[in-house]
Amino acid sequence: MSRKVIVTVAPTGSIPTREDNPNLPITAEEVAAETKRAFDAGAAVVHLHARDPDTGGPTPDINIFRAYLAAVRASCPIITQITTGGGATTLNLSPEERFRPVEELLPDSASLNAGSMNFGRKLFPNTPDIMELYAQRMKEFKVMPEFEAYDLSMVQNVDHWIRRAGILKPPYQFSFVMGVMGGIPPTFKNLLALKESLPPGHTWQAIGIGRHQIPMGIMAVLLGGNLRVGFEDNVYLSKGILAKSNAELVEKAVHIIRELGLEVANVEEAREILPLLNKS
Ligand code: ZN
């Protein structure tokens, strides 16, 4: 039996605008419709940020997050993940404000950024104190952390501050985010180094930014990992051609995965593969 690859879709994120791609989903209804299309195309996980419907900008508003999750959950049985980082660099949110939607809305998973960095020109603060707090709380609420590693040092952060400290037993889910200015550059050698820095047993995916989305994602698939696509990280289907929907990006990834002789995990299979803390 061939390996099942998990495709995650990140339909909105905190950075792209309608000027970057007019098909960017912003309201809860748009995000849910877009998530359903991506689910139908093969995505098993959705990674969500909330946007203010008036300004289009990122927001920590719990009511908006609540509306997004309700609409997504009503549209399809996809595995849900929400951000704990989104907008942190632009909105100057406290760690508590960043975490509040997680404990109130109980998604299957939430991102846990595995170290501080310069994100472009801005400081993205994720100190050991914040990491420990989030890991502790996610364990308590049975929400799987997805450790977002923007560099090799962040894999070590997780090992030191979370595993060795005994906060949360492995295995863990990791994302290797490649191509953010301030993080690790998106090269095959770097992805290989990241992958080899993980002890066996963890699950992981690559998140390539911009034109690196598909190449880094497929390299990850070839190395035994998974991939994330979607407008959060890339709004183009190919050079100079904007994607009409997030589903188009999922379709492209699914097509390549199948051409490689691999299969795409459905939601039930992805639930088995991922180290979710609440499997039901
Ligand atoms: Zn995100």
Side-chain angles (χ1 to χ4, degrees), residues 30-280:
E30 288 165 355
V31 169
E34 192 73 347
T35 300
K36 171 74 162 70
R37 281 191 283 274
F39 166 80
D40 289 340
V45 182
V46 64
H47 169 86
L48 297 167
H49 290 240
R51 295 287 188 106
D52 183 327
D54 296 326
T55 66
T59 174
D61 188 328
I62 184 83
N63 291 319
I64 296 180
F65 265 108
R66 184 175 289 116
Y68 273 55
L69 269 173
V72 165
R73 283 169 171 156
S75 77
C76 62
I78 198 163
I79 296 168
T80 53
Q81 178 181 84
I82 63 178
T83 181
T84 59
T89 54
T90 36
L91 300 171
N92 292 321
L93 301 176
S94 71
E96 288 74 21
E97 286 169 313
R98 287 165 56 184
F99 194 73
R100 227 183 115 215
V102 177
E103 58 187 50
E104 291 211 11
L105 304 172
L106 302 178
D108 295 297
S109 173
S111 57
L112 201 167
N113 296 283
S116 303
M117 63 185 291
N118 295 326
F119 197 110
R121 299 191 71 89
K122 299 200 171 108
L123 177 65
F124 188 25
N126 300 289
T127 59
D129 284 353
I130 296 175
M131 291 178 60
E132 286 166 1
L133 174 76
Y134 286 5
Q136 199 82 259
R137 301 289 275 277
M138 288 195 213
K139 181 182 170 186
E140 200 177 307
F141 289 98
K142 293 191 165 26
V143 172
M144 176 187 80
E146 177 174 282
F147 292 104
E148 314 291 329
Y150 294 78
D151 219 324
L152 267 169
S153 57
M154 298 199 189
V155 178
Q156 189 185 21
N157 284 345
V158 175
D159 191 60
H160 185 84
W161 301 109
I162 308 298
R163 185 192 67 80
R164 268 196 265 172
I167 293 178
L168 196 66
K169 280 205 193 80
Y172 305 137
Q173 160 71 1
F174 277 86
S175 280
F176 299 141
V177 188
M178 309 185 73
V180 169
M181 186 61 223
I184 198 166
T187 69
F188 290 163
K189 269 191 182 171
N190 285 345
L191 183 57
L192 186 61
L194 283 161
K195 188 254 171 184
E196 293 194 333
S197 72
L198 278 190
H202 297 304
T203 56
W204 62 281
Q205 67 177 358
I207 300 175
I209 303 300
R211 66 191 165 85
H212 304 288
Q213 180 167 82
I214 295 289
M216 285 298 118
I218 295 303
M219 174 75 177
V221 168
L222 291 169
L223 289 172
N226 302 298
L227 86 173
R228 179 171 112 179
V229 295
F231 289 173
E232 172 165 347
D233 313 309
N234 161 49
V235 295
Y236 287 94
L237 182 62
S238 53
K239 190 174 164 64
I241 299 175
L242 291 172
K244 291 195 189 72
S245 71
N246 280 275
E248 261 196 343
L249 295 167
V250 174
E251 279 163 20
K252 181 172 178 172
V254 165
H255 175 76
I256 299 170
I257 291 164
R258 291 192 174 135
E259 287 293 313
L260 291 169
L262 300 170
E263 291 176 39
V264 174
N266 63 27
V267 166
E268 293 72 40
E269 291 159 344
R271 280 193 177 278
E272 280 307 307
I273 297 165
L274 291 170
L276 293 170
L277 301 188
N278 187 356
K279 289 271 187 186
S280 60

